[in-house]
Amino acid sequence: MHGETVDWQALIRDVPDFPKPGIVFKDITPMLADGPAFSAAISEMAALVGPDVDAVVGIESRGFIFGAALAQKLGLGLVTVRKPGKLPADIHSVEYELEYGVDRLEIHRDALSHGHRVVIVDDLLATGGTANATVELVQKLGAEVDCCLFAIELAFLNGRASLDGVEVKSLLRCD
């Protein structure tokens, strides 16, 4: 895949009615299973990251996959944002709205500090609730968000709008 343009859409499987009727799930496992394509995805994502980034913040759980590979490629550390009860030390947490209820995310209080610049990484941007909550957690620690980076952006759900003031980048934009 060196020098070739990758057809990301061909590597994302649509699964209708998952996890519930009416939802079309964007399954990234074919991209992950294709070594050259996954490597190309990480290389392309790395090229989208600014030069002054200090850390990668991966959102549970598929954001860990992209975040860990991206952090390794950039020579940076990985900070994890987790669901409640998963982190062992002192945490900051934030609740956020889902289309079907409320959820919460957590980050270690000592994971970042004032002046750190981060890129937030996840597999998918839908309505933006999870990414927005992660931005809030990062900012609670005094760090700055360089950008939010996604493998897939479901543009028709307008999640970008909820991340007002934060640059959003993605490999594949589904309109």
Side-chain angles (χ1 to χ4, degrees):
M1 298 227 160
H2 298 297
E4 297 175 28
T5 301
V6 178
D7 180 2
W8 299 117
Q9 185 63 51
L11 294 165
I12 309 297
R13 177 177 30 219
D14 285 347
V15 181
D17 299 321
F18 183 82
K20 61 184 187 177
I23 303 290
V24 178
F25 185 81
K26 298 291 186 183
D27 181 13
I28 61 168
T29 59
M31 180 199 318
L32 299 176
D34 183 321
F38 183 54
S39 180
I42 297 306
S43 291
E44 284 194 29
M45 292 173 95
L48 296 172
V49 176
D52 298 323
V53 170
D54 301 302
V56 174
V57 176
I59 303 172
E60 187 169 337
S61 67
R62 289 178 299 270
F64 292 172
I65 297 167
F66 291 96
L70 183 62
Q72 192 278 329
K73 176 92 174 166
L74 296 172
L76 300 173
L78 176 69
V79 174
T80 57
V81 169
R82 309 273 335 246
K83 297 197 174 164
K86 305 280 186 171
L87 295 173
D90 290 336
I91 56 140
H92 272 304
S93 69
V94 66
E95 283 192 355
Y96 64 102
E97 297 288 325
L98 298 168
E99 52 276 10
Y100 49 84
V102 176
D103 208 346
R104 190 173 63 174
L105 290 174
E106 299 177 342
I107 192 170
H108 277 136
R109 287 181 183 262
D110 62 356
L112 300 165
S113 59
H114 184 75
H116 278 127
R117 230 171 134 65
V118 305
V119 57
I120 295 173
V121 179
D122 206 356
D123 68 321
L124 181 95
L125 174 61
T127 61
T130 304
N132 196 43
T134 303
V135 168
E136 187 178 334
L137 284 172
V138 165
Q139 291 172 340
K140 273 187 175 185
L141 298 177
E144 298 174 36
V145 178
D146 179 72
C147 70
C148 287
L149 180 57
F150 305 94
I152 306 166
E153 178 182 354
L154 302 180
F156 59 90
L157 292 176
N158 205 24
R160 190 178 278 258
S162 74
L163 293 164
D164 187 36
V166 176
E167 188 172 7
V168 175
K169 301 176 182 180
S170 55
L171 289 182
L172 173 64
R173 209 177 134 113
C174 301
D175 292 318

